Amino acid sequence: MDRLTVPMSVASSPAVEQTASGSMTPSSAPLRPSTTAEVREIVGDAIVHKTPVRIVGRGTWLDAGRPVEATRQVSLDGLTGIVDYTPGDLTLTARAGTTLAEIARATAEHGQWLALAPWGSDDGSLGATAATATAGPMSGALGTPRDIVIGIEAVAGSGELVRGGGRVVKNVAGFDLTRLMVGAWGTLGILTEVSVRLRGLPEHEATLALALPNAPPALADVVARLRSAPIAPLGIEMVSGTLAARLGLGQQPVVIARLAGNADAVTAQRAALGAFGDVLDVADGVWTTLRAADPVEATVVRFSSPVARFPEVWLAADRLATAGEGHVHASLLRSSARVVLPHNEGAPTDAALELLRDASRDTRIFERLPRALWPVLAPTRAADRLSQGVRTAFDPHRLLNRGILGETRS
Amino acid sequence: MTQPADVADRLTEIVGPRGVLRRPGELVVYRSDGLPGYSKQPRLAVFPRTRDELVSVVRLLADQGVAFVPRGAGTGLSGGALADDVVLVGLNRLTRILSIDPVERLAVVEPGVVNVALTRAATPYGLHYAPDPSSQAACTIGGNVAENAGGPHCLKYGVTLNHVRAITAILPDGEIVRLGSAEGELDGYDLLGAFIGSEGCFGIAIDITVRLSPNPQAIRTLLADFTSVDAAARATSEIIASGIVPAALEMMDGATIRAVEASIYAAGYPVDAEAILLIELDGLEAGLEADVARIEAMCAAAGARTVRIARDDAERARLWQGRKKAFGAMGRVSSHLVVQDAVIPRTRLPDVLAIIREIAERQRITVCNVFHAGDGNLHPNIGYDANNPDEQARVHAAMREIMSACVAAGGTITGEHGIGLDKLDYMSLIFSEDSLAAMCRLRDVFDPDHRANPGKVVPVHSCREWHGAPKAAWTA
């Protein structure tokens, strides 16, 4: 394999802009629909003129960097508002551009919350969270968007207005369009409305930090014992020493655990965790800081593995983070490590790139990469016949976010 | 065109003479599934015993252009496993549990493994398979995948979809695909999510990798009894709104209670109650009593006469047996029973149950309610005599009215039983023609020739592209 070089020139036809991280140069001002009907008009127009569109939620998230071919950008920051919220049902429906912060405010008034908490901040939109299936530190216990989203409305690339699921928590009517749209990165349809299940806010909670051993055998032992300990954390995340320092938790790797429940439950879990060593009370805000800890310019990659291999995956991820002068954190519940490599002049360090090139390919997912590295490090996951067929079934003209899944350019 | 006899002979070469049924008399038993009122006779039935036989069977059917219907244990309640003059592929001989990994908490099973058999096999490791349909003693994991089956404990732990990590499937054209991953996360389209609940229209699962859940440290089972359905419904809404997530929250009405108590499944429910709630809390021992006390208080405030807590595992098992065998117990009430299925927003329980009562009275039918109150998943069960055309007509009219009422309340037409044959006509109540057309195209991705479970889930007239599609053999 050739040595990776950055940047790599990407050919583009003169009529089509190549848009990517930090270089979004749409040929005209973004379209900002405020109703589903306007979204339909935009897609209808794109079909007639065969003009590919790029879909953006509120534009607040760090760009994933995957090259998208588009002549127009559709921004959903005007398609906002909670459409339906009956607290007693613990479900909520909102337009796609609604911020997670607005939903958090509305639900907190009734002692409830939407347990998505994706990487990034609550300024991001519900639609983007669903479209990218972004799952944060609570997802091991409380589910990913694939578990939490119960219904969608979308304008498919075919121009059709489709609905999947509904506003109830259990639903098997028809083929599951909701599951397909969640995590499809907008390539099947532009989400216009999303319905989600909510949870009651815990009566009590506490976040504790526990120091971790560095030596591999001791680490494996602690991880195994934590997994069977009498605790039911909402989140339990290992963080590297570098990240711990940024979170104000010292210089050594630590585990932070978010315990919740009634007073008795929290007290007992605190004691159970205390059996592992000295624990430190940490302000709940650490989770918000952790979610937003990625630098603006960075490569982000997740390594997931069977539980038995978690310690070795953690150590490999830690080596990569060290080589890239970045940090790593990992969900013990999901057995998934997330490495953040800051960019210097648009790319991670050479040492980190070497490791990325050598790493096993089957268990890693890139969240963010320099544009030129996508085709090299992360060839498409949507090349199989079924995925191609699904794309064609919903977006026959390949108009929506063309290229974002790494699919072959048409 | 290929003659059925030729196909039968070729199938016999694959699975042996005891693996193929072809005489009408032998096939009678496969005319129905758990749903009464429909009778469809398969042309042939074939029962592969191994993965290789299954693959050969599906590939032969593909070569011959023959339509087929996959079938697990036939306990489905929507007519989804009925084969109308096509080949029935019985999967109930593929019963091997291929592996149980207590460290990863994963099991790999063949599609014919019975739901409860997996939990039994996982018990020595302190694990269980969480989705627990009432038919769990008979239904298969493959059937559960096809229907995205639920069960009482799905309130807290999620439905089949939330517990399946990966599937090796054979598509109707004979191609073998791997959906999902047991080793880690995948990106790309959620084809596994699309496959689960596709009611046998997208292919057949050859093996299924499922999550096993650790048994909870502690369990409390409560029985609250009420003098009105309305009071029990209000208690349910209160509990859900409180934010406590019970492991299960089930309701049974007076008619159901009395049927159960008169049967061999008598559970000790108070026969003079008009409704009971069966509420299970589980999790860590610490803090459980405090939640139990809150639930007791909420039930009392809603008007519960008594709230009883099961003293031991035996009493708990008895309380659950009454609930899980309620459908069987209703056999005492009438010759046929439609177990209906719909979901409503949980705040609408009191008024929708009142509407269902009104519909039952007006149509002069008997409706018993036994259902998953906690997630708003109603099972209005209608006992009737299918040999009485007048009564059957009234039952059908009532079912349509009930479905319409649930949809009007913001709900849906099925929460766990599927569309199958029975609910095709209701699909247009909740989905636009555009949505139905998109579903048809999705089916075409997996099965362009429309040979897998033809005629189910989406009404044929919604499938715009179907008019020019080749007609599969043996589908009239």
Side-chain angles (χ1 to χ4, degrees):
Chain A
M1 187 178 180
D2 292 335
R3 191 178 179 287
L4 302 169
T5 52
V6 182
M8 179 191 281
S9 70
V10 179
S12 72
S13 71
V16 175
E17 300 280 344
Q18 274 291 346
T19 64
S21 178
S23 63
M24 181 67 215
T25 50
S27 56
S28 51
L31 300 162
R32 300 182 61 239
S34 57
T35 63
T36 296
E38 287 172 8
V39 176
R40 290 195 81 177
E41 279 175 35
I42 290 167
V43 174
D45 193 58
I47 293 170
V48 170
H49 297 104
K50 299 276 183 284
T51 47
V53 298
R54 180 185 191 165
I55 309 151
V56 173
R58 302 193 66 82
T60 53
W61 275 10
L62 303 164
D63 198 304
R66 176 94 77 172
V68 172
E69 283 175 35
T71 49
R72 297 304 294 273
Q73 177 170 311
V74 183
S75 170
L76 297 176
D77 58 358
L79 187 66
T80 60
I82 293 169
V83 176
D84 178 49
Y85 174 35
T86 307
D89 292 331
L90 276 98
T91 59
L92 177 146
T93 299
R95 296 192 183 90
T98 311
T99 63
L100 297 176
E102 181 180 343
I103 292 169
R105 275 194 300 276
T107 52
E109 279 179 34
H110 299 277
Q112 299 178 356
W113 65 309
L114 169 58
L116 282 174
W119 306 118
S121 80
D122 279 354
D123 296 333
S125 70
L126 178 62
T129 308
T132 58
T134 307
M138 308 305 151
S139 60
L142 303 179
T144 71
R146 287 188 159 113
D147 305 298
I148 292 170
V149 174
I150 55 176
I152 52 98
E153 178 195 77
V155 178
S158 60
E160 293 162 311
L161 180 67
V162 300
R163 273 184 181 280
R167 296 179 184 182
V168 287
V169 295
K170 213 168 164 190
N171 195 346
V172 296
F175 300 130
D176 200 337
L177 304 185
T178 309
R179 293 279 158 169
L180 276 178
M181 293 274 182
V182 171
W185 288 80
T187 58
L188 305 180
I190 301 181
L191 295 181
T192 50
E193 232 177 68
V194 179
S195 299
V196 288
R197 64 170 83 232
L198 303 173
R199 290 180 167 267
L201 281 166
E203 278 181 69
H204 294 271
E205 60 175 294
T207 293
L208 302 180
L210 170 74
L212 273 179
N214 269 324
L219 178 67
D221 175 60
V222 170
V223 167
R225 284 195 295 129
L226 278 171
R227 209 160 168 263
S228 54
I231 53 174
L234 300 188
I236 181 160
E237 197 85 5
M238 270 170 73
V239 303
S240 63
T242 358
L243 183 55
R246 291 184 56 190
L247 298 173
L249 300 174
Q251 306 291 327
Q252 294 301 309
V254 294
V255 159
I256 49 176
R258 185 173 175 191
L259 309 175
N262 57 35
D264 295 347
V266 172
T267 304
Q269 292 182 80
R270 177 187 286 277
L273 213 51
F276 284 80
D278 291 338
V279 291
L280 180 73
D281 267 274
V282 180
D284 294 344
V286 72
W287 295 103
T288 311
T289 314
L290 173 66
R291 283 171 53 205
D294 302 359
V296 176
E297 295 279 331
T299 285
V300 182
V301 54
R302 293 200 306 273
F303 297 89
S304 59
S305 71
V307 172
R309 287 189 52 232
F310 175 78
E312 70 182 88
V313 168
W314 165 262
L315 292 171
D318 193 41
R319 276 195 299 277
L320 174 61
T322 305
E325 296 161 21
H327 64 251
V328 55
H329 54 101
S331 163
L332 290 187
L333 297 175
R334 297 187 74 191
S335 190
S336 167
R338 187 170 179 273
V339 181
V340 178
L341 305 167
H343 286 178
N344 182 17
E345 294 183 6
T349 65
D350 286 350
L353 286 175
E354 287 300 321
L355 286 173
L356 279 175
R357 198 180 61 179
D358 293 341
S360 133
R361 285 176 172 269
D362 53 350
T363 57
R364 67 185 187 185
I365 293 177
F366 286 98
E367 292 182 19
R368 296 162 60 195
L369 261 184
R371 180 174 69 179
L373 291 182
W374 281 106
V376 185
L377 287 175
T380 178
R381 290 278 191 182
D384 60 293
R385 178 172 73 80
L386 291 177
S387 294
Q388 291 288 316
V390 166
R391 177 75 193 253
T392 303
F394 289 87
D395 182 17
H397 315 293
R398 299 287 201 276
L399 296 174
L400 305 179
N401 276 353
R402 181 189 287 174
I404 206 165
L405 292 177
E407 66 268 37
T408 317
R409 294 177 64 201
S410 55
Chain B
M1 192 210 245
T2 311
Q3 291 306 304
D6 300 340
V7 173
D9 290 344
R10 304 272 303 273
L11 288 170
T12 304
E13 287 169 18
I14 298 169
V15 299
R18 295 168 64 90
V20 176
L21 300 180
R22 58 172 101 189
R23 286 194 293 276
E26 299 170 326
L27 291 163
V28 167
V29 68
Y30 295 102
R31 266 189 196 166
S32 51
D33 58 6
L35 173 78
Y38 292 84
S39 177
K40 308 281 181 193
Q41 178 129 334
R43 178 69 64 95
L44 294 171
V46 58
F47 300 90
R49 293 159 297 188
T50 65
R51 172 195 175 103
D52 288 348
E53 286 185 2
L54 171 60
V55 169
S56 299
V57 163
V58 173
R59 289 186 174 160
L60 173 69
L61 296 175
D63 285 345
Q64 302 294 319
V66 172
F68 64 91
V69 176
R71 178 178 172 118
T75 55
L77 293 163
S78 57
L82 298 183
D84 189 3
D85 205 28
V86 298
V87 174
L88 186 146
V89 180
L91 299 162
N92 52 329
R93 293 184 186 175
L94 289 158
T95 56
R96 287 191 304 156
I97 295 175
L98 300 172
S99 67
I100 289 182
D101 184 336
V103 174
E104 302 298 328
R105 294 174 184 156
L106 292 176
V108 183
V109 301
E110 290 185 336
V113 169
V114 169
N115 177 298
V116 81
L118 177 56
T119 283
R120 273 200 208 107
T123 301
Y125 308 103
L127 301 170
H128 68 286
Y129 179 60
D132 60 337
S134 292
S135 56
Q136 70 183 139
C139 66
T140 62
I141 305 285
N144 294 169
V145 166
E147 301 300 317
N148 191 12
H153 290 80
C154 291
L155 174 60
K156 180 171 180 179
Y157 294 105
V159 295
T160 301
L161 187 117
N162 307 106
H163 295 271
V164 175
R165 289 279 299 271
I167 288 174
T168 307
I170 182 161
L171 303 183
D173 69 358
E175 186 189 350
I176 294 173
V177 295
R178 182 77 172 159
L179 308 173
S181 166
E183 288 78 39
E185 296 177 79
L186 283 185
D187 53 8
Y189 299 130
D190 188 1
L191 299 174
L192 175 67
F195 187 88
I196 297 168
S198 59
E199 303 197 30
C201 296
F202 289 3
I204 296 176
I206 299 173
D207 64 58
I208 303 154
T209 305
V210 298
R211 282 202 297 137
L212 298 173
S213 305
N215 296 339
Q217 197 182 43
I219 305 175
R220 300 285 186 279
T221 306
L222 288 71
L223 180 76
D225 80 281
F226 298 83
T227 52
S228 77
V229 166
D230 191 56
R234 279 186 282 112
T236 301
S237 294
E238 282 294 310
I239 293 166
I240 292 303
S242 78
I244 296 175
V245 184
L249 203 181
E250 302 283 303
M251 194 193 297
M252 295 168 73
D253 68 7
T256 312
I257 294 165
R258 288 180 277 280
V260 168
E261 288 305 308
S263 77
I264 55 166
Y265 307 117
Y269 303 147
V271 290
D272 59 341
E274 284 311 312
I276 56 169
L277 292 180
L278 191 59
I279 308 163
E280 192 151 283
L281 297 174
D282 71 7
L284 299 175
E285 180 73 56
L288 206 55
E289 289 304 335
D291 281 351
V292 167
R294 277 181 73 194
I295 300 263
E296 277 186 287
M298 283 185 266
C299 288
R305 290 190 303 188
T306 60
V307 182
R308 186 175 119 200
I309 301 171
R311 283 156 303 189
D312 51 31
D313 285 351
E315 187 176 0
R316 194 170 76 82
R318 206 158 74 100
L319 289 177
W320 271 112
Q321 171 160 286
R323 162 62 186 87
K324 293 214 170 183
K325 301 291 187 184
F327 302 127
M330 283 178 218
R332 302 173 66 87
V333 180
S334 55
S335 59
H336 295 83
L337 181 78
V338 178
V339 180
Q340 261 304 349
D341 176 38
V343 189
I344 55 168
R346 291 166 283 194
T347 51
R348 304 297 304 275
L349 278 171
D351 49 310
V352 172
L353 288 171
I355 292 170
I356 291 173
R357 267 201 305 281
E358 183 273 321
I359 292 168
E361 280 165 24
R362 189 159 34 76
Q363 297 285 1
R364 292 176 286 122
I365 57 165
T366 309
V367 176
C368 303
N369 289 288
V370 45
F371 63 100
H372 314 305
D375 37 30
N377 189 180
L378 303 179
H379 291 318
N381 305 301
I382 307 175
Y384 71 111
D385 177 359
N387 300 313
N388 177 341
D390 173 64
E391 189 177 14
Q392 185 150 11
R394 281 184 281 114
V395 166
H396 278 280
M399 285 195 303
R400 184 162 194 97
E401 287 186 41
I402 290 171
M403 286 300 132
S404 299
C406 292
V407 171
T412 189
I413 56 176
T414 173
E416 55 184 11
H417 294 173
I419 299 297
L421 211 51
D422 191 42
K423 290 195 163 156
L424 278 174
D425 287 348
Y426 305 137
M427 283 291 274
S428 58
L429 292 178
I430 50 170
F431 291 117
S432 66
E433 280 301 312
D434 274 2
S435 296
L436 293 173
M439 289 181 195
C440 292
R441 291 201 304 275
L442 177 59
R443 180 203 301 229
D444 284 355
V445 173
F446 287 85
D447 182 22
D449 297 331
H450 316 140
R451 287 188 302 102
N453 216 354
K456 308 283 172 57
V457 185
V458 182
V460 173
H461 59 77
S462 301
C463 298
R464 296 163 187 166
E465 283 81 4
W466 280 35
H467 306 297
K471 186 174 274 186
W474 303 358
T475 52

